[in-house]
Amino acid sequence: MLSELLLTEMTRLAEKDNMPLHRQLYEAMRRSILDGKIGAGDRLPSSRELTQDLKVSRNTVVAALNQLSVEGYLLSRVGSGTYVNESLPKAQAKAQHRNSSGSPAQLSKRGSALSATFCATQLEVQPFTPGIADFSAFPVALWQRLQNKHWRMTYPDMLDYSYSGGYAPLRRAVADYLRVFRSVPLDVDQVIITSGTQQSLELSAQLLGDHGDTVWVEDPAYWGAVKAFMATGLHIHPVRVDQHGMAPDGGDVQNAPRLIYTTPSHQYPTGAVMSLARRQQLLSIAASYNAWILEDDYDSEFRFSGPPLSSLAGLDQDERVLYMGSFSKVLYPGLKLGYLVVPKRLVDPFKQAHYDLNRPGQMPLQAALAEFIELGHFASSLRRSRQSYAQRRQCLLEALQPCLGKHAQITGAEQGLHLCLRLPTQVDDKALARRIAELGLTVRALSAYCLARTDVKGLVIGYGYAPLADIARCGPILAKAINAELKKI
Ligand SMILES: Cc1ncc(COP(=O)(O)O)c(C=O)c1O
């Protein structure tokens, strides 16, 4: 019987390692899954049944199940319970087990968990792929000229590592932009040029969280952030998102955060804009737990309707918000440049650690970007992209119009490069996304971004990548597939 199996394993773990109870249960279940003692696709007893059988508190069971769901071992199906993930590859499961039992190590436990969950590489880039900008519009010839100029002018220092947070004129240009357009109050000194938001997240997690510390993550969430936190050994605590953004409640507050990761301007992927009340609530929670907030402002450059939004960092009186932005969507992703704005008291340790851990460089590239911004090319490139994305967005909204009604609503279309079509919970959005993929279109199931929730269904649809003509041609095909699904309800 499952409970006996788990109890035996938990007792063994308690004798060997002095772990808290929820960790014992998590580890016991994980090992039993990897061992095949709990089979792929098996349905687990409910948390109430497990609570009774194991004679532990419900919180202990829920914490263990949540962590296993976050790491991809378990999947929840609405109305029918929790199951062992069938797609945990067998070979990988064996490798994971060998690692966990200490024999021929291939991947660490962390490495196994990282490779078992959320794989962005599986996603094909074709019309409607979310999160991808149209970098074909980037002014390549101009960029080449600027790069050549900086290579010609390059003096030996520019070929060295970058020691002080990045090329000073680029840091100044970023600071000027953020002060004016994002109301971030800052000194140039606080800006660190990184190789993108992913690196900003990793650096923040490495420097501010210890192994096992809790990070609050929005649920549904941006995969890149989840992976960065998993990689740094943080305990991921999912916090529900509603129409006003991240919505912590009493249960969340019992899991004291060390870090809070949020996308307040345009929640990724639902698109919710965090209300002022929520922003203040989050800042006050952070203050009461002495926690840090990581604000990922990934697509605010493209705002199409609604009042202009300022950043959460702009409201921060207490110096607890680390603000991060990226040039991946506004210029092109392979540029691999972004910025992290840290509170003054963190400037020195962050610059030092950035240097020690990453050995940043690419000064001629940074110099070309600084000049690109100073000469006004960045602003005009943004203006052009904004216009072009606004047309694509409008075209997609019109194509989806016939789907909208009681069962389907659009959220998050005011900004960015994607919108979210919310569907009723009984829709299998992953199956729908697969059917749409057979038509040569890529959308993502909203539930695929969920960490612990089972009540969120929909499609995340991008309009950044495909040209207007493709959106006009493929929009009705997409709408027809969605409507066919809605008719089944
Ligand atoms: C929510 C979110 N944050 C950040 C990024 C950008 O990350 P990077 O600068 O590492 O390319 C993305 C890119 O897709 C994103 O979707």
Side-chain angles (χ1 to χ4, degrees), residues 131 195-198 222 261 263 268 296 298 326 328-329 336:
S195 68
T197 298
Q198 200 62 24
Y222 169 51
Y261 166 76
T263 46
Y268 194 87
D296 178 358
Y298 65 100
S326 170
S328 286
K329 290 192 204 297
K336 299 274 326 142

Side-chain angles (χ1 to χ4, degrees), residues 130-133 194-201 218 221-225 261-263 266-269 296-299 324-329 332-334 336-339 418 444 449:
I132 312 270
T194 62
S195 68
T197 298
Q198 200 62 24
Q199 190 178 70
S200 304
L201 288 166
E218 296 166 328
Y222 169 51
W223 302 344
Y261 166 76
T262 183
T263 46
H266 190 230
Q267 200 276 326
Y268 194 87
D296 178 358
D297 203 16
Y298 65 100
D299 70 4
M324 33 198 93
S326 170
F327 290 103
S328 286
K329 290 192 204 297
Y332 64 96
K336 299 274 326 142
L337 286 175
Y339 41 89
H418 75 273
R444 287 194 207 141
Y449 294 88

Side-chain angles (χ1 to χ4, degrees), residues 191-212:
V191 178
I192 299 173
I193 303 298
T194 62
S195 68
T197 298
Q198 200 62 24
Q199 190 178 70
S200 304
L201 288 166
E202 282 164 15
L203 191 61
S204 307
Q206 282 158 349
L207 282 179
L208 303 175
D210 281 315
H211 189 95

Side-chain angles (χ1 to χ4, degrees), residues 53-344:
D53 294 349
L54 300 173
K55 304 206 174 17
V56 293
S57 77
R58 188 104 188 269
N59 281 351
T60 300
V61 172
V62 170
L65 293 179
N66 275 351
Q67 192 61 27
L68 288 161
S69 303
V70 167
E71 291 177 11
Y73 292 99
L74 300 180
L75 296 173
S76 300
R77 296 190 197 135
V78 187
S80 84
T82 304
Y83 293 80
V84 176
N85 190 351
E86 277 173 296
S87 58
L88 196 65
K90 285 204 172 59
Q92 195 161 35
K94 279 200 191 125
Q96 286 185 349
H97 179 54
R98 276 206 302 279
N99 287 335
S100 63
S101 52
S103 342
Q106 292 179 346
L107 291 177
S108 62
K109 284 184 207 161
R110 186 186 299 149
S112 305
L114 275 170
S115 57
T117 48
F118 303 141
C119 273
T121 46
Q122 292 163 354
L123 299 159
E124 275 209 64
V125 177
Q126 45 193 12
F128 306 124
T129 305
I132 312 270
D134 178 8
F135 35 85
S136 68
F138 184 69
V140 175
L142 168 69
W143 186 243
Q144 247 164 11
R145 276 202 304 280
L146 282 175
Q147 294 232 64
N148 288 344
K149 175 177 158 192
H150 284 280
W151 271 108
R152 275 198 304 275
M153 286 176 26
T154 293
Y155 47 96
D157 278 4
M158 293 290 276
L159 302 180
D160 200 352
Y161 296 124
S162 124
Y163 292 94
S164 50
Y167 185 64
L170 179 59
R171 289 171 34 230
R172 265 199 301 279
V174 167
D176 291 344
Y177 172 79
L178 293 179
R179 260 187 232 112
V180 176
F181 291 101
R182 308 297 304 126
S183 316
V184 181
L186 79 166
D187 291 339
V188 178
D189 212 33
Q190 291 171 256
V191 178
I192 299 173
I193 303 298
T194 62
S195 68
T197 298
Q198 200 62 24
Q199 190 178 70
S200 304
L201 288 166
E202 282 164 15
L203 191 61
S204 307
Q206 282 158 349
L207 282 179
L208 303 175
D210 281 315
H211 189 95
D213 276 351
T214 296
V215 54
W216 283 7
V217 175
E218 296 166 328
D219 191 7
Y222 169 51
W223 302 344
V226 176
K227 290 236 165 180
F229 301 140
M230 281 169 81
T232 30
L234 296 180
H235 168 73
I236 293 163
H237 175 76
V239 175
R240 291 171 70 86
V241 168
D242 67 13
Q243 71 272 31
H244 303 299
M246 195 178 209
D249 62 20
D252 297 316
V253 170
Q254 283 172 11
N255 280 279
R258 173 79 179 139
L259 293 171
I260 301 174
Y261 166 76
T262 183
T263 46
S265 302
H266 190 230
Q267 200 276 326
Y268 194 87
T270 64
V273 174
M274 190 179 282
S275 63
L276 183 60
R278 282 284 168 73
R279 286 169 192 242
Q280 280 162 341
Q281 183 198 11
L282 216 54
L283 288 166
S284 92
I285 290 177
S288 62
Y289 288 97
N290 204 13
W292 300 98
I293 297 181
L294 310 183
E295 176 177 15
D296 178 358
D297 203 16
Y298 65 100
D299 70 4
S300 292
E301 295 84 0
F302 303 118
R303 184 147 182 89
F304 307 111
S305 64
L309 296 172
S310 55
S311 61
L312 184 61
L315 287 177
D316 176 24
Q317 304 274 324
D318 215 13
E319 301 209 3
R320 336 199 132 262
V321 178
L322 286 83
Y323 174 94
M324 33 198 93
S326 170
F327 290 103
S328 286
K329 290 192 204 297
V330 278
L331 297 177
Y332 64 96
L335 178 63
K336 299 274 326 142
L337 286 175
Y339 41 89
L340 169 64
V341 181
V342 298
K344 290 196 181 89

Side-chain angles (χ1 to χ4, degrees), residues 344-389:
K344 290 196 181 89
R345 52 192 162 143
L346 295 180
V347 167
D348 289 340
F350 265 68
K351 282 189 179 162
Q352 184 66 49
H354 184 38
Y355 179 77
D356 290 342
L357 295 171
N358 302 309
R359 293 284 190 279
Q362 301 276 30
M363 299 284 263
L365 186 69
Q366 294 190 25
L369 177 55
E371 193 164 349
F372 186 81
I373 299 174
E374 280 157 12
L375 295 178
H377 300 304
F378 181 66
S380 51
S381 160
L382 259 183
R383 227 179 1 258
R384 275 195 309 275
S385 322
R386 219 179 268 133
Q387 265 170 12
S388 161
Y389 292 141

Side-chain angles (χ1 to χ4, degrees), residues 128 399 436 439 441 471-483:
F128 306 124
I436 290 170
L439 302 170
L441 309 174
I471 296 194
R473 181 175 55 81
C474 302
I477 303 173
L478 175 66
K480 196 168 156 205
I482 296 167
N483 260 333

